[in-house]
Amino acid sequence: MTDGDVKPTFFQSLVAGGAAGTAVDLLFFPIDTIKTRLQAAQGFARAGGLKGIYKGVGSVVVGSAPGAAVFFSTYETMKKHSPLSQDMAPLNHMLSASVGEVAACLIRVPTEVIKTRTQTMTYGPLGKSSLDAAKQVLLNDGWSGFYRGFRSTIMREIPFTSLQFPMYELLKSQLSQKLDRKPLYAHEAAICGSIAGGTAAALTTPLDVLKTRVMLDLRDPSKEKLPSLRHRMKDIYVKEGIRALYAGVVPRTLWISAGGAVFLGVYEWVVHGLMSYT
């Protein structure tokens, strides 16, 4: 997401994306744990409350860097080679970010499944660590279990990123014009990322709740028909009310607002650092 005439290479985006993803996920992991437990069907206290807020961090250590690296390298490559004109830049950013998210979810969803089940102590004493939870997923659901919630994750990520990245690029462009300087410094890009991320996070919280519920559903799809995403969303609303669809909205918004600043700020800092050596 550089605004200068020179764009980062695939490798530079890959490295910077990996650094950004690891930094933000490790820094804000406790807030993510609280958000996930607030969204769990069994309730915050039974899901673990404030105990063991670093449960599941192992899966994040393994998956953050490659997931973010795949996203940014795909996003920058798509953006650079898009046939769309400059007048259609928002659409270009939206499509590029959406393709990047789908690619990243191939890595991100398995780590998310392990993380959420470890955070909420879904397997009790059998799933104390990320590795133990991974073994339980494989034992109970097979390899397909690692992709439980893939569709609901995509359904969350595409609207989220379609809001976040066009807004982020627009804010950067306007700030750059106001300062009469490009590219922006990392901390300036971080502010734009914080605003864009927080706004997108708040608006897409119901989809995040849906994703969490699907990933925590231990029913076997080979033995019984599971409800559709639409039915699950309706069921949450009817049985638990509108508040349940916005469970965890405050920590989610704060986490992604602050996380967006770190995520995009670190990315810009690293990518510009790498570009300065070429």
Side-chain angles (χ1 to χ4, degrees):
M1 278 97 54
T2 53
D3 290 316
D5 294 331
V6 180
K7 301 297 181 182
T9 64
F10 179 87
F11 176 74
Q12 290 166 344
S13 299
L14 197 73
V15 173
T22 302
V24 72
D25 283 344
L26 291 180
L27 185 60
F28 296 104
F29 188 84
I31 302 177
D32 179 60
T33 299
I34 292 171
K35 182 270 299 181
T36 301
R37 290 174 178 176
L38 284 168
Q39 294 176 346
Q42 68 264 45
F44 180 72
R46 293 184 64 188
L50 294 174
K51 297 178 182 178
I53 56 175
Y54 274 97
K55 276 185 174 293
V57 73
S59 63
V60 168
V61 171
V62 172
S64 289
V70 167
F71 170 78
F72 274 112
S73 55
T74 303
Y75 174 67
E76 292 288 3
T77 301
M78 289 286 297
K79 195 171 66 167
K80 187 189 301 182
H81 297 291
S82 173
L84 298 175
S85 66
Q86 188 60 35
D87 293 337
M88 302 182 73
L91 180 59
N92 181 17
H93 299 150
M94 188 182 299
L95 293 174
S96 298
S98 296
V99 174
E101 284 293 353
V102 173
C105 280
L106 294 172
I107 298 171
R108 189 179 297 152
V109 169
T111 59
E112 275 280 310
V113 169
I114 297 167
K115 176 177 71 71
T116 54
R117 293 186 182 183
T118 309
Q119 286 174 324
T120 56
M121 298 185 287
T122 300
Y123 297 115
L126 295 177
K128 289 183 177 180
S129 68
S130 295
L131 181 59
D132 291 336
K135 290 177 180 177
Q136 289 300 314
V137 173
L138 186 61
L139 179 66
N140 293 299
D141 303 317
W143 290 104
S144 63
F146 290 106
Y147 283 91
R148 175 71 66 90
F150 183 80
R151 285 189 304 146
S152 60
T153 303
I154 293 294
M155 199 170 113
R156 177 197 69 175
E157 293 298 339
I158 289 181
F160 174 80
T161 202
S162 294
L163 290 168
Q164 183 189 29
F165 277 86
M167 194 184 309
Y168 171 61
E169 298 284 4
L170 177 63
L171 290 171
K172 282 206 307 175
S173 177
Q174 291 181 339
L175 183 57
S176 185
Q177 289 178 16
K178 185 175 181 180
L179 297 175
D180 193 24
R181 170 169 46 79
K182 64 167 57 174
L184 296 174
Y185 295 135
H187 71 276
E188 295 166 341
I191 293 171
C192 297
S194 177
I195 296 170
T199 303
L203 293 174
T204 57
T205 295
L207 298 176
D208 188 53
V209 171
L210 178 64
K211 184 274 303 179
T212 300
R213 295 292 182 91
V214 172
M215 286 187 170
L216 294 177
D217 190 343
L218 298 183
R219 289 176 290 181
D220 189 344
S222 65
K223 295 180 179 179
E224 59 181 306
K225 185 177 180 181
L226 300 182
S228 65
L229 295 178
R230 180 182 177 185
H231 185 271
R232 285 179 189 270
M233 183 75 84
K234 182 180 179 181
D235 195 50
I236 295 171
Y237 174 72
V238 171
K239 293 182 179 180
E240 302 175 55
I242 190 70
R243 290 184 63 181
L245 290 174
Y246 282 91
V249 65
V250 174
R252 172 172 162 79
T253 302
L254 292 175
W255 162 50
I256 295 182
S257 181
V262 174
F263 186 56
L264 296 167
V266 169
Y267 176 79
E268 296 285 354
W269 177 65
V270 175
V271 84
H272 286 308
L274 292 172
M275 290 171 68
S276 67
Y277 287 103
T278 59

